[in-house]
Amino acid sequence: MFKTKPTSKFVFFTLTLLLLLSLFTSIRASEPSTNENGDEDSEGIEELLALDEEVEREEEQEGVNLRSSEAQVLSKAQRIVLELNSDNTKKAIDDNEFVLVLGYAPWCPRSAELMPQFAEAATSLRELGSPLLMAKLDAERYPKAASFLEIKGFPTLLLFVNGTSHVYTGGFSAEEIVIWARKKTGVPVIRISSVKEAEEFLKKYHTYVVGFFENFEGPEYKEFVKTATADNEIQFIEVSDTEVANVVFPNTEPTNLFFGIVKSEPERYTAYEGTFEMEKLLQFLDYNKFPLVTKLTETNSVRVYSSPVKLQVTVFAEVNEFNKLLKPLQDVARKFKSEVMFIYIDITDENLAKPFLTLFGLEESKKIVVTGFDNKANSKFLLESDPTPSNIEEFSSGLLHGTLSPYYKSQPIPDNKDASIHVIVGKTFDDLVLSSPKNVLLEVFTPWCINCEATSKQVEKLAKHFKGLDTIVFGRFDASLNEHPKLQVDDYPTLLFYPASDKANPIKLSIKSSLKDLGVSINKLLKAEDKVTKDEL
């Protein structure tokens, strides 16, 4: 998050000493003391107070620079951000043209992460002279106010324009909040007129969109401004001077029309080639706004998965291992630019990595894992060879051209010798169910399902009851650890009867039936199958 500056640490240390000295003095007040000691104590306190006053003066002089301290940012924001409650919420919304509200809960970790970013954004917007009122509401403490604002989760950001709420659609860093807020309150584009202004701009922004126009007018310029307003994430700038243009987008010779995006990475400058139409300009940004390799975080995950680039190669690795791979991976990603998105996830981050790795049964993996996702077809793929750059490139090419085989997770093949209920895994589903000449009753379960244990006990009793028949096999499939393309089950437990004569159309049995009713149903199905077999003969 934010690092505390030495001045802040000194203030905290000074105040702590003052409190301890004050407490010590009150405890010892009834005890006699010599003038010498008393003078020393007095001098010590005066020295500390003098140092404290000096620190305060330094803080006043540093001003905006102290925003890098989270505690100071929050303290300053308390004077800038309006604290809403049951009494002032409606008035704040009604009396201001623009209000950006953060609804939070004190116990919510995401709220805690967002608060310092919101505070820093509030400070920046105040300094920029924005008309926007920044406000926050403890939605748990003031439920009526939360209901009035229609805050239903934490954290929630809402922009109110003349009393009408609009869903926040920007990013969650302080910079992204400022960009989004300014776009939605009348400043979608920053005009840069001099080299000095350009150089100052570059100190603050590393990702931006630049438009070059001889005159800031005409249909193309209108489309540019519409694009800037519609985009929710990137700061747009406009220039008309060639020298200024070369500062913000070097080595280019802009004609009277130019549009390009700049990012803080090796693939830094990308120019647009096409007609100036808002939809086409936005599409260009959607396909080019991410780095060659994007690190997935809690704050950018929504943006990443809303990308129109639906093919994704994801590398899971520990930070040091990934750093070794980054440059060659960027070289690979450059070959698939705008067609395949490359993502990095820290494999030690359980919140981000584990849900994905679980899809492959690799949640305990510590080594580099490379996966592919086709979010259009809802298919997943796994690189099963060494994660070298050449293998990743070949894997990515297969993903792009549709030549990879989808990955279905499976436990190791078990030994079912003498088992009354066969354990069926992803790798054996074809042989033991679909290709089996026998009828199969399959129990599909997950370890966490509430009713699975009761159903399992029923299946065990049924397996004993039908033990003498060689026309039926009982099987059990753990859907949390195994998959098969022809087994699509959403509810657990599920009981499926696969007739020997028609394995493509299994019959679903009711799990709410009693043991006796299940036995009767299975008997009927077996007799029907026996009749089919005799008719065929």
Side-chain angles (χ1 to χ4, degrees):
M1 297 291 286
F2 296 84
K3 293 183 180 178
T4 306
K5 287 195 173 183
T7 53
S8 303
K9 291 181 178 177
F10 186 77
V11 170
F12 178 80
F13 179 66
T14 302
L15 291 174
T16 304
L17 282 177
L18 280 172
L19 287 171
L20 288 172
L21 283 168
S22 174
L23 179 62
F24 180 75
T25 303
S26 66
I27 293 172
R28 297 290 301 274
S30 60
E31 296 181 14
S33 60
T34 65
N35 288 335
E36 186 179 0
N37 288 338
D39 290 342
E40 285 178 354
D41 288 344
S42 175
E43 289 174 4
I45 291 173
E46 287 176 4
E47 184 179 349
L48 286 171
L49 287 172
L51 286 169
D52 192 28
E53 288 174 2
E54 184 181 344
V55 169
E56 286 181 355
R57 285 195 298 271
E58 288 177 4
E59 288 182 333
E60 289 175 3
Q61 291 171 358
E62 288 181 12
V64 178
N65 293 333
L66 288 178
R67 283 182 294 146
S68 62
S69 165
E70 181 178 340
Q72 290 165 348
V73 167
L74 289 170
S75 176
K76 189 171 184 179
Q78 286 175 354
R79 300 189 295 271
I80 296 173
V81 178
L82 176 65
E83 185 74 56
L84 299 177
N85 54 46
S86 299
D87 298 325
N88 68 358
T89 296
K90 188 175 187 306
K91 180 175 173 55
I93 300 300
D94 292 343
D95 291 356
N96 293 275
E97 182 181 6
F98 302 111
V99 185
L100 183 61
V101 177
L102 167 60
Y104 69 94
W107 47 262
C108 169
R110 292 293 299 276
S111 294
E113 290 174 6
L114 184 55
M115 287 287 278
Q117 302 298 324
F118 190 76
E120 186 176 351
T123 305
S124 297
L125 287 164
R126 169 66 64 88
E127 291 164 359
L128 290 167
S130 172
L132 178 67
L133 172 66
M134 301 280 278
K136 59 183 178 181
L137 173 72
D138 183 339
E140 186 176 60
R141 184 178 180 184
Y142 301 108
K144 288 185 179 179
S147 178
F148 170 73
L149 298 175
E150 296 187 352
I151 292 172
K152 299 174 183 177
F154 312 117
T156 294
L157 282 171
L158 293 172
L159 175 67
F160 289 84
V161 181
N162 293 318
T164 302
S165 69
H166 300 264
V167 176
Y168 180 83
T169 53
F172 296 100
S173 69
E175 180 181 314
E176 290 169 324
I177 294 171
V178 170
I179 291 170
W180 188 91
R182 296 191 81 200
K183 282 173 178 277
K184 305 308 176 185
T185 56
V187 192
V189 183
I190 295 174
R191 182 172 296 177
I192 298 181
S193 304
S194 68
V195 170
K196 184 177 180 181
E197 287 179 14
E199 289 170 346
E200 288 300 314
F201 175 84
L202 293 179
K203 292 177 183 178
K204 297 179 181 178
Y205 296 91
H206 303 290
T207 299
Y208 55 90
V209 169
V210 57
F212 180 90
F213 304 89
E214 282 187 338
N215 300 299
F216 300 118
E217 58 185 24
E220 289 87 357
Y221 178 67
K222 287 181 180 179
E223 290 296 307
F224 172 75
V225 175
K226 282 168 59 180
T227 304
T229 305
D231 174 77
N232 293 315
E233 303 168 16
I234 310 171
Q235 181 62 61
F236 278 54
I237 60 173
E238 57 188 27
V239 300
S240 61
D241 182 273
T242 302
E243 188 178 1
V244 174
N246 272 287
V247 174
V248 294
F249 205 106
N251 303 319
T252 185
E253 297 180 4
T255 60
N256 62 331
L257 288 177
F258 177 82
F259 184 89
I261 184 170
V262 180
K263 296 173 291 187
S264 56
E265 63 151 357
E267 198 75 8
R268 185 161 170 74
Y269 303 100
T270 307
Y272 171 72
E273 296 178 2
T275 56
F276 271 59
E277 299 172 29
M278 183 184 73
E279 293 301 326
K280 291 183 178 180
L281 294 174
L282 286 173
Q283 186 180 54
F284 166 78
L285 294 179
D286 279 341
Y287 279 89
N288 290 280
K289 64 187 176 183
F290 288 103
L292 289 172
V293 180
T294 300
K295 181 180 178 180
L296 188 73
T297 65
E298 294 280 0
T299 54
N300 73 3
S301 58
V302 174
R303 291 172 53 224
V304 169
Y305 293 112
S306 62
S307 168
V309 182
K310 298 304 179 185
L311 299 177
Q312 298 174 343
V313 169
T314 304
V315 177
F316 300 83
E318 186 270 333
V319 174
N320 291 333
E321 288 296 318
F322 176 73
N323 287 338
K324 298 174 187 175
L325 184 62
L326 178 57
K327 192 177 183 307
L329 185 62
Q330 287 174 330
D331 293 336
V332 172
R334 191 175 285 107
K335 298 176 182 178
F336 299 93
K337 189 177 176 183
S338 300
E339 295 178 306
V340 179
M341 178 180 283
F342 286 75
I343 299 169
Y344 161 62
I345 299 179
D346 183 351
I347 201 168
T348 64
D349 187 335
E350 286 202 358
N351 289 335
L352 289 173
K354 195 167 185 177
F356 291 99
L357 293 173
T358 299
L359 296 174
F360 296 85
L362 298 172
E363 55 269 28
E364 301 303 324
S365 179
K366 303 299 180 186
K367 297 181 180 179
I368 295 177
V369 176
V370 179
T371 66
F373 290 93
D374 182 344
N375 291 324
K376 263 189 179 178
N378 199 26
S379 300
K380 63 181 187 289
F381 309 88
L382 178 67
L383 175 64
E384 300 193 60
S385 57
D386 291 337
T388 62
S390 59
N391 285 341
I392 293 175
E393 182 176 343
E394 184 180 350
F395 178 75
S396 303
S397 179
L399 177 65
L400 177 62
H401 296 103
T403 58
L404 295 181
S405 297
Y407 179 82
Y408 299 97
K409 62 183 177 181
S410 175
Q411 291 175 285
I413 297 175
D415 181 6
N416 285 315
K417 186 179 180 181
D418 300 327
S420 58
I421 300 176
H422 289 189
V423 174
I424 296 172
V425 299
K427 294 176 181 177
T428 62
F429 187 85
D430 280 327
D431 291 338
L432 299 184
V433 178
L434 300 182
S435 300
S436 171
K438 298 183 180 182
N439 302 289
V440 179
L441 182 75
L442 184 67
E443 172 198 354
V444 185
F445 75 99
T446 63
W448 58 79
C449 107
I450 297 172
N451 299 316
C452 285
E453 186 177 351
T455 301
S456 291
K457 289 179 180 178
Q458 285 188 317
V459 171
E460 287 167 6
K461 292 176 181 178
L462 289 168
K464 286 182 181 179
H465 178 74
F466 289 97
K467 188 176 182 180
L469 291 179
D470 60 0
T471 56
I472 184 170
V473 173
F474 285 79
R476 182 171 283 158
F477 188 92
D478 184 347
S480 71
L481 299 173
N482 301 278
E483 296 172 320
H484 191 278
K486 293 185 179 178
L487 179 63
Q488 303 298 324
V489 174
D490 296 320
D491 299 321
Y492 306 104
T494 291
L495 289 179
L496 296 172
F497 181 87
Y498 286 83
S501 62
D502 187 9
K503 292 297 177 70
N505 296 292
I507 299 163
K508 189 174 182 178
L509 302 181
S510 173
I511 61 167
K512 295 181 180 179
S513 299
S514 66
L515 182 63
K516 181 179 178 182
D517 289 341
L518 280 172
V520 170
S521 297
I522 292 170
N523 253 326
K524 288 181 179 178
L525 291 169
L526 289 174
K527 286 180 180 178
E529 275 304 297
D530 186 49
K531 186 175 183 303
V532 169
T533 303
K534 288 179 179 177
D535 289 343
E536 288 176 351
L537 292 174

